[in-house]
Amino acid sequence: MSNNALIQTIDLHKTYKTEAIETPALNGVDFTLHEREFTAVAGPSGSGKSTLLHLLGGLDRPTSGEIFLNGAAMSSLSKDQLSRLRLTRIGFVFQAYNLIPVLTVLENTAFVMELQGVVRRERIRRARAILTELGIEQYADQFPNRISGGEQQRVAVARAVVTEPSIVLADEPTANLDSKTSHELIGLMRRLNEDKGATFLFATHDRRLHDQVSRLLTLEDGRITQDQCR
Amino acid sequence: MKAAIRHLKRNRGRTILTLLAVLIPVYFLVFMFGFSNSIVSDMFETATRIDTGHFQVRHIERRGMGSAIPLMQDSESVLAALDEIDGVEWRTVRLDMPALASAADRSQTIYIQGVVPEEIAPISSIGDLVVEGTYLRNGQNGAVIGEELADLLNVGVGDEMALLCAHPETGLGVLKVPVVGIYQAPISAMGRTIIHTTLTTARQLARSPAATAVVVRVDDVEGPWDVGKIEAVTAQLTGSLPDELEVLDWRELAPQVSGYMRILQPAMIIFAAVFFGLGALVVLNTLYLSVMERTRELGLIISLGASRWRVIRMILTEAGLIAVIGAVYGALIGVALVWIVEAFGGIPLPGADLADYMKVVGMSPVLHMMISWPQVVVSAVTMVGVAILAAWFPAYRASKLEPVEAMRYVE
Ligand SMILES: Nc1ncnc2c1ncn2[C@@H]1O[C@H](COP(=O)(O)OP(=O)(O)OP(=O)(O)O)[C@@H](O)[C@H]1O
Ligand SMILES: [Mg+2]
């Protein structure tokens, strides 16, 4: 494990307010993530895993507390700057509906690069390369609805890592997959972590996947109750 | 762009609806403008060919349009000046005066145009409209009158009429002239009042060697909107005119035509605005629906870091694409329909009554259509602009989506 702090959170709180009801989702989360780590966030449903990932990814803002990304405070960023940060520094894999239905697998893989303004030739080349690396180049010209859920998630991983972000955040990427496919997907992420040094943080409540990680954070009622390195 | 096309293909029904929302207003306007152009230019042609010309040179003190006193002494030098100027299609001297025409026990107030037949005939003025007898020849003592006047006075070709002209300075002028021809007027009021005699006859009646006006037509004037060419000629002339003469263009000489245009224009603009507005509403609505349906996808795109402007551009591209296709097809269909109508010789108006009414205002009983390309282009471009403007609202809403909420959105 390297000692470079990639993400540091300080007393992170998030409370959702809907009309009269206040739902506390995070109640003081402090932890540090390092580069090249391969970390899972475990915890029961409603423990705040998604909330935490959203805050780290700049998709939402904490009620209080601070997140530092490479030493820079995220609370000081404007909405547009957060958007820019997501584009350039964060890779996302969501639970489902990761892909844009009207784009082919190849175009989906290249989509973030397109937003970044990478020239067409270059982004096609890089997208093809990553698809080949992940063993799904044969689907390059297919539309997402023509391939299986596991394959769709692989494409999402390909899209997340192809831009070489500081960190890939994956919120229950295996939730809709059977256990064999889940295992393969996490294995794939692990391989990218080891070969390319990509940093991953993913949420899951599937205990069987916990063996594959290098670090396991357990979240309960909006607090980190366990932090295990293996 | 490619994605925009695929989005449009994905929901064909809605795309077609949007397409129609753009297409129909453009097509309809081109078609409607086709009618109104033709009506206006019919009126314009009638007025400028038979009565006013594109412009006239007159004496400043013309003492009202109905004055019986010809004041233009030296029309020859005006004619000479006009012959030096480019763009003059045709010019002639005329002596206009109000008079009384009577035959047997009937009489009617009329308006005499004293003309030079050999000059006026080639531009197919009243000469072309003669249905009985012949048009005037140079120096001939005679009159060409409208069918309506022939009926009122109960005269035919060969019959004599008495023309009376009350001259405020020289007293009463009386002249007997034979009817040599009868013309079919495009406007019934014209057929009742305007008669042609030779300039010589008119001068005899007025007992004056002067004239009322030099009437001029300009080359290649396409319609009443084509004022530039006329102004180019009048601009060349005004410098060389003596002080007592002035130039009046058809807008001053035929106020009924320009008045009609002034009514028609705002009417068409309101009409166009309503159509564009309806088109815009449909575009706004369908696009808004489409944005709602794609909430999750838009949420994903925003999550991945697409800027707000990028999202707006995405939606506007779709709208723009549809609008351009719709407007082009709308324009093409409109133009094609106009051509088809014209290929079949226009639309004859049903019923003699309506045709008679049309004649009163100077329109032909067969409705013709006419394309004005600038109008077609302006209609199409405006529709595209309006559609894109209407797309701003849904586009803006799309760009304002909160990524986390949008991605949780279930249809
Ligand atoms: N947008 C929201 N508005 C209101 N409450 C919310 C919102 N999002 C999450 N919550 C609440 O915050 C708490 C934490 O939710 P979160 O989704 O982070 O949990 P999770 O660990 O991801 O659960 P799961 O395993 O079911 O995905 C829950 O009680 C949830 O109901
Ligand atoms: Mg969750």
Side-chain angles (χ1 to χ4, degrees):
Chain A
M1 188 198 299
S2 114
N3 283 324
N4 303 335
L6 177 65
I7 288 178
Q8 191 178 9
T9 72
I10 295 172
D11 199 21
L12 217 50
H13 283 78
K14 177 69 179 180
T15 304
Y16 291 106
K17 295 193 179 85
T18 40
E19 283 135 42
I21 317 154
E22 289 198 359
T23 319
L26 295 179
N27 298 308
V29 172
D30 292 275
F31 73 100
T32 304
L33 271 184
H34 302 278
E35 272 174 24
R36 306 176 74 94
E37 278 186 333
F38 192 73
T39 312
V41 183
S45 187
S47 58
K49 302 185 295 293
S50 297
T51 305
L52 178 62
L53 261 58
H54 291 157
L55 297 185
L56 297 180
L59 289 167
D60 206 349
R61 291 181 190 274
T63 313
S64 70
E66 185 60 90
I67 303 166
F68 293 96
L69 180 66
N70 281 334
M74 282 175 68
S75 66
S76 66
L77 300 179
S78 72
K79 224 176 162 170
D80 288 345
Q81 285 170 323
L82 275 182
S83 167
R84 184 88 204 143
L85 178 121
R86 293 198 297 271
L87 181 62
T88 53
R89 309 280 296 280
I90 317 273
F92 286 101
V93 180
F94 300 101
Q95 180 177 330
Y97 305 105
N98 261 297
L99 305 181
I100 298 165
V102 295
L103 300 183
T104 64
V105 163
L106 185 70
E107 288 162 348
N108 264 291
T109 311
F111 182 72
V112 177
M113 288 188 281
E114 189 188 335
L115 294 181
Q116 288 176 344
V118 176
V119 295
R120 196 186 145 75
R121 277 174 68 102
E122 173 66 5
R123 59 177 194 256
I124 296 293
R125 188 188 64 73
R126 278 161 67 182
R128 277 203 190 282
I130 193 75
L131 289 177
T132 307
E133 197 172 338
L134 301 192
I136 44 175
E137 73 275 16
Q138 67 270 34
Y139 306 124
D141 298 323
Q142 299 276 13
F143 285 93
N145 60 357
R146 294 318 232 18
I147 61 176
S148 73
E151 287 152 1
Q152 288 180 23
Q153 290 303 79
R154 283 185 188 213
V155 176
V157 170
R159 181 189 58 204
V161 297
V162 73
T163 54
E164 297 176 359
S166 303
I167 186 168
V168 177
L169 299 173
D171 190 0
E172 313 220 24
T174 61
N176 295 339
L177 305 180
D178 61 51
S179 62
K180 181 168 167 285
T181 320
S182 299
H183 224 272
E184 282 169 7
L185 188 77
I186 301 301
L188 185 90
M189 285 161 52
R190 183 77 216 226
R191 187 155 61 76
L192 289 165
N193 167 250
E194 282 166 359
D195 296 355
K196 304 190 135 199
T199 310
F200 281 88
L201 177 67
F202 65 97
T204 177
H205 47 210
D206 188 345
R207 300 195 164 278
R208 286 166 302 180
L209 301 174
H210 295 171
D211 307 336
Q212 292 176 276
V213 300
S214 62
R215 186 177 174 192
L216 182 66
L217 296 171
T218 308
L219 212 56
E220 273 170 83
D221 290 335
R223 276 197 192 83
I224 292 177
T225 52
Q226 273 186 57
D227 185 351
Q228 299 163 277
C229 289
R230 346 181 141 205
Chain B
M1 189 69 165
K2 210 198 279 175
I5 293 170
R6 290 199 200 128
H7 267 300
L8 296 177
K9 278 190 183 158
R10 190 167 57 169
N11 199 326
R12 268 167 212 278
R14 198 167 45 214
T15 300
I16 290 171
L17 182 65
T18 319
L19 206 65
L20 288 179
V22 176
L23 187 148
I24 290 172
V26 173
Y27 136 70
F28 213 78
L29 283 176
V30 169
F31 198 69
M32 287 306 296
F33 277 136
F35 277 122
S36 78
N37 286 342
S38 162
I39 290 168
V40 168
S41 66
D42 260 14
M43 292 178 69
F44 173 76
E45 276 301 297
T46 303
T48 57
R49 275 195 182 284
I50 295 179
D51 192 7
T52 64
H54 289 144
F55 70 89
Q56 296 184 3
V57 180
R58 288 191 170 208
H59 197 277
I60 293 174
E61 294 174 43
R62 43 188 196 284
R63 303 192 187 164
M65 302 277 273
S67 166
I69 308 171
L71 294 169
M72 190 189 241
Q73 300 299 336
D74 184 16
S75 48
E76 288 306 318
S77 65
V78 175
L79 293 178
L82 280 165
D83 289 342
E84 299 296 307
I85 292 173
D86 286 339
V88 173
E89 181 196 356
W90 163 90
R91 86 287 179 280
T92 190
V93 181
R94 223 167 65 192
L95 196 167
D96 297 349
M97 71 187 138
L100 191 73
S102 51
D105 56 343
R106 303 185 183 202
S107 56
Q108 174 73 19
T109 49
I110 54 153
Y111 203 73
I112 296 175
Q113 291 185 358
V115 300
V116 182
E118 67 174 5
E119 277 178 6
I120 212 162
I123 66 121
S124 77
S125 169
I126 283 178
D128 269 4
L129 301 171
V130 170
V131 287
E132 237 180 284
T134 57
Y135 191 63
L136 297 164
R137 270 169 288 119
N138 267 7
Q140 185 181 25
N141 179 36
V144 175
I145 67 173
E147 285 178 320
E148 286 83 355
L149 184 63
D151 280 349
L152 283 168
L153 296 179
N154 196 22
V155 290
V157 172
D159 294 344
E160 276 204 331
M161 299 184 302
L163 299 179
L164 277 87
C165 163
H167 195 299
E169 282 169 15
T170 56
L172 207 62
V174 186
L175 213 60
K176 280 204 164 217
V177 293
V179 174
V180 297
I182 292 176
Y183 71 93
Q184 192 170 39
I187 308 177
S188 46
M190 176 188 285
R192 210 159 44 233
T193 51
I194 292 183
I195 78 166
H196 271 198
T197 69
T198 59
L199 188 61
T200 327
T201 307
R203 279 180 170 158
Q204 263 177 300
L205 193 60
R207 285 186 270 167
S208 157
T212 313
V214 170
V215 183
V216 184
R217 277 181 63 89
V218 174
D219 272 332
D220 300 326
V221 173
E222 276 160 25
W225 51 87
D226 204 0
V227 286
K229 291 190 182 111
I230 298 173
E231 279 166 2
V233 172
T234 55
Q236 291 178 71
L237 185 65
T238 37
S240 62
L241 282 183
D243 286 347
E244 73 273 17
L245 297 182
E246 66 176 344
V247 167
L248 296 170
D249 76 7
W250 65 273
R251 284 171 293 192
E252 296 154 286
L253 296 164
Q256 74 280 8
V257 178
S258 44
Y260 184 74
M261 281 175 71
R262 265 201 299 278
I263 297 166
L264 197 68
Q265 208 164 23
M268 291 306 283
I269 287 171
I270 291 168
F271 198 76
V274 168
F275 264 76
F276 285 148
L278 286 176
L281 266 182
V282 176
V283 169
L284 192 149
N285 229 302
T286 49
L287 216 60
Y288 191 72
L289 269 177
S290 144
V291 164
M292 294 298 289
E293 253 173 45
R294 273 188 278 163
T295 298
R296 194 203 295 271
E297 185 185 325
L298 290 163
L300 172 68
I301 290 170
I302 295 168
S303 296
L304 293 177
S307 67
R308 285 183 46 199
W309 173 231
R310 172 75 192 214
V311 173
I312 290 177
R313 227 169 53 204
M314 239 177 63
I315 307 287
L316 291 189
T317 304
E318 272 175 48
L321 206 64
I322 246 187
V324 168
I325 296 173
V328 166
Y329 274 93
L332 287 180
I333 292 174
V335 169
L337 271 175
V338 169
W339 278 344
I340 289 170
V341 166
E342 278 307 286
F344 283 95
I347 300 173
L349 287 176
D353 289 351
L354 191 52
D356 281 347
Y357 173 74
M358 300 293 276
K359 194 173 170 179
V360 171
V361 293
M363 300 187 326
S364 78
V366 177
L367 269 185
H368 282 284
M369 306 191 71
M370 194 171 162
I371 295 289
S372 152
W373 290 107
Q375 259 172 10
V376 173
V377 171
V378 167
S379 304
V381 169
T382 308
M383 187 66 242
V384 171
V386 167
I388 291 176
L389 217 61
W392 260 98
F393 176 66
Y396 177 78
R397 289 299 292 263
S399 79
K400 278 286 191 183
L401 286 172
E402 282 298 329
V404 177
E405 277 169 40
M407 289 218 301
R408 205 183 289 127
Y409 185 88
V410 193
E411 282 110 81

